[in-house]
Amino acid sequence: MLDILRRIVQEVNLAKNLEQALNIIVKRVKKVINVEVCSVFLTNENNNDSEYVLMATDGLNPEAIGKVRMSDKVGLVSLVGKRAEAINIADAEKNPRYQHFPEASEEAFHGFLGVPIIHHRKVLGVLVIQSRKIQKFSEDDETFLITVAAQLAGAIVHAEASGGISGLKQLDDEKEHESKPIHGLPGAPGVAMGTAVVIYPPADIDAIPDRHILDVEKEIKTFDTAVESVVKDIKELSERLKDVLPEEDRALFDVYLLMLNSQAISGTTRDRIREGNWAPGALRQTIQEHEQVFREMEDSYLRERADDVRDLGRRILMHLQKESHDKVDYPDNTVLVGEDISASMLAEIPREKLVGVISVRGSRTSHVAILARAMSIPTVMGATDLPVAKIDSRTIIADGYSGRVFISPSEKIINEFKRLIDEEEALSDELMELRDLPAKTQDGIEISLLVNSGLLSDITPSLQSGAEGIGLYRTEFPFMERQKFPSEEEQHSIYRQVLESFHPRPVTLRTLDVGGDKALPYFPIEEDNPFLGWRGIRITLDHPEIFLVQIRAMIRANIGLNNLKILLPMISDISELNEALGLIHQVYGELLEEGEEVVMPEIGVMIEVPSAVYQAGNLARRVDFLSIGTNDLTQYLLAVDRNNARVASLYDSLHPAVIRAILQVVESARVHGKPVSVCGEMAGDPVAALLLLAMGIDSLSMSVSSLPRVKWVIRNVTRDRARQILSEVLVIEDAKGIRKYLNQTFEDAGMGGLVRAGN
Ligand code: PEP
Ligand code: MG
């Protein structure tokens, strides 16, 4: 059964459009269950009502497709949708909910089984089977249908979102097609509109996107050259193995050669290139199609040939990529799209060409999102339903506020977003005017606004932003860019540059915080639960040789400047702090002994795990300041992985538990007279910043792109008003309610433009 299911899903995923996908579903399911009718109804939302429309059928009158529509008040199908559960009835006609559609010619059918197709809690439609016999379907049929529906929901969303692509040639005609937006997560604020450039890992044939080309002849030549190279490789391989492999085993190579030169592989790929797809995209389509044909064969020997097809595809692809034909020429207004965009991929694109980023995986607190915010690039993360292979070169809009993505949007949507982008620019110019003004409330309370950094390249924008210093310098970034641990001298030079550039403003250097989702290529850590494992201070205390070198480099870099502060990440136990302080004092003493004119910098602890919240007082007593890392604190308090798009709707730093934890930390620090800052992403969220101000946080450290908005908020409220808002928030019981209340408060105060696209 599992095998059948896998094949259906694979086939549906290869469908060129929604219509084809639905037709495959009804045909295959009807055959497997051996029933007379299988149909799919999709939900159509109209204002507050939804109706169910027959979209595909095998068994009912095909003329009825698109015509049979039922409101959610009548009909069995709509009852399945409304209840979001399966309905299995022996004789549908006898049921009071039954609605007769003469155009569907369904009089002859009695047995009815409908199951909902649900994606992310939303009913997308209903999958139905019907039989002539008056009978209840078996439990097996029911569970099979439920499994099929659950597996297909994602594929249906893909097909729907790609806007009914039925071949590359039609791409341009589809401008008018109103495709639904894909919902991802806000990654970096702002709106980007441009051309999608899909980036993919090399030699992964399934990841290759379709790409429109103009010079067909050149592309065919490139493909032929790659095939010739593979032929040559295979002949050489066969020759080399002559003495090792018996003749009959080497026959496989002859099969390969035959396949390579066949119409089925080479001919079909060439045809697809002629239709306007580039060679890797055409090859992907051909290979997937043939693999599918082989996988469906009854004969197990032939079924295994599917692996050979795939292997051949991979070989050709490698040569295509070697011929470096796929060196991307980035268009102006590139929106970078990919399954899992990494920080290094981002760095590959010339900054002046890059306007937006969309990643299928990850969330707001993933590294690439943090980097994108530092570079002020509107970003959508966790766009899990994005049909990546089908959208290269298409016009795309990324709304980094709401997390929506529009593929080949209509003129109407394009114009709407153009207006929003213009308004954004005007707002940005207005905000830039605040650059040299203090972050002071209308009743004269000042709060320091600092930036988060980690790359030497963000120093200039950070300086230009009017920041009062660096509140968090993530030293792991320079560690990540290298092939081995940087030496004391290398580190000294980086830290010195940062400290000098900001002098006399303070710079907080955080000691190495790797582990979790931050890996060093030369220091691999394999763990089942990396966020609960060996990370941050736990690693550096286990490797004092790394920690001591880093502290030496920091303290030496501070000589004559005295604007360094050191911050310790992931402290979850007092003993860790005591040990770290011991090592820092050891380094300080050694440097003094060596005759260096060093001073002891201020030391702070990150409060980012629940145990540190409850021991904030014990920690504060031992150090000079506390800094709350709300990214991890939210993850650990709510038990929600900060990088997992599937649970991202549960991750919100405005959760009442997080707010109360922050209040507790502020109180504990106050008892010991120590300042508290917030350096997680929450600090850069304008609505959250208002609450942090009210709580009495001394400084906020955020990505450079958030700073002007937060400053604007601070300058437009009084602390009393902020406190009043905080007291309202403290009686709301969930994050959604709190966010809604704060957004509305902003709208009412004419500050809506700070929290959504547009002015
Ligand atoms: C945090 O956890 O809030 C934080 C600032 O650190 P990082 O995002 O680097 O884990
Ligand atoms: Mg952290």
Side-chain angles (χ1 to χ4, degrees), residues 472 474 510 513 518 535 569-570 606 608 629-633 635-636 642 679:
L472 168 65
R474 292 180 164 95
R510 182 174 71 183
D513 183 23
K518 288 179 273 189
R535 68 169 296 208
M570 271 298 287
M606 287 204 69
E608 51 183 348
T630 48
N631 303 340
D632 278 314
L633 186 58
Q635 138 163 297
Y636 293 125
R642 62 192 264 186
C679 65

Side-chain angles (χ1 to χ4, degrees), residues 650-669:
L650 295 172
Y651 182 101
D652 193 336
S653 299
L654 287 180
H655 191 288
V658 180
I659 293 177
R660 277 163 211 282
I662 298 173
L663 274 172
Q664 182 163 338
V665 173
V666 173
E667 265 168 42
S668 310

